[in-house]
């Protein structure tokens, strides 16, 4: 099992940037894919971005493509989500998850507690 802790959320104006971090504990971190999902009030949790175990393969939801960048530093057991040009519709709780590479929730077995991102207009 991998324990995940998200940080870096907060309140930002539209057009601004935030960088989320997902710190992991567990010796198998470097062998799993890690993804970010988000959940807005009253909505289903949705896929945002994912990165393969080695960091060479990434995928993004269409809604964040060209604005968000996922990266990882396996030496630090950390995955990052750089979010630029933020929009009010990006407001949500952001979760990181570890597991098999994919874009659906069931691909991932370990989840963090989430960090709130609020974008004001």
């Amino acid at each position: 099992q991998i324990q995940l802790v998200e940080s870096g959320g907060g309140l930002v104006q539209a057009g601004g940037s935030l960088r989320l971090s997902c710190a992991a504990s567990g010796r198998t971190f470097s062998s799993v894919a890690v993804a970010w999902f988000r959940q807005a009030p009253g909505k289903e949790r949705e896929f945002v971005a994912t990165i393969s175990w080695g960091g060479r393969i990434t995928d993004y939801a269409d809604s964040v493509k060209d604005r968000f960048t996922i990266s990882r530093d396996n030496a630090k057991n950390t995955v990052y989500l750089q979010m630029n040009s933020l929009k009010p519709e990006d407001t949500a709780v952001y979760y990181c998850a570890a597991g098999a590479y994919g874009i659906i929730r069931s691909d991932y077995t370990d989840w963090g507690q989430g960090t709130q991102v609020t974008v004001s207009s």
Side-chain angles (χ1 to χ4, degrees):
Q1 187 176 5
I2 296 174
Q3 289 75 45
L4 303 168
V5 178
E6 303 94 336
S7 62
L11 174 64
V12 63
Q13 289 187 332
S17 298
L18 282 174
R19 188 177 80 156
L20 305 183
S21 297
C22 173
S25 60
R27 292 180 294 176
T28 60
F29 174 76
S30 61
S31 64
V32 297
V34 177
W36 288 94
F37 287 75
R38 67 185 181 186
Q39 188 166 17
K43 295 188 177 182
E44 294 289 317
R45 192 171 300 188
E46 65 175 4
F47 167 76
V48 175
T50 185
I51 188 165
S52 62
W53 65 271
R56 290 182 293 178
I57 304 172
T58 59
D59 199 4
Y60 298 90
D62 288 342
S63 59
V64 307
K65 202 167 291 184
D66 299 326
R67 299 189 297 124
F68 290 11
T69 302
I70 190 170
S71 61
R72 68 189 296 163
D73 184 341
N74 285 342
K76 296 182 178 180
N77 275 12
T78 302
V79 170
Y80 305 97
L81 184 68
Q82 178 66 45
M83 306 187 294
N84 299 329
S85 302
L86 283 161
K87 305 175 181 179
E89 50 264 44
D90 293 319
T91 295
V93 177
Y94 283 70
Y95 300 88
C96 67
Y101 186 84
I103 65 170
I104 60 175
R105 290 178 61 178
S106 59
D107 289 326
Y108 300 91
T109 55
D110 299 295
W111 292 80
Q113 294 300 305
T115 185
Q116 176 71 47
V117 171
T118 303
V119 184
S120 63
S121 57

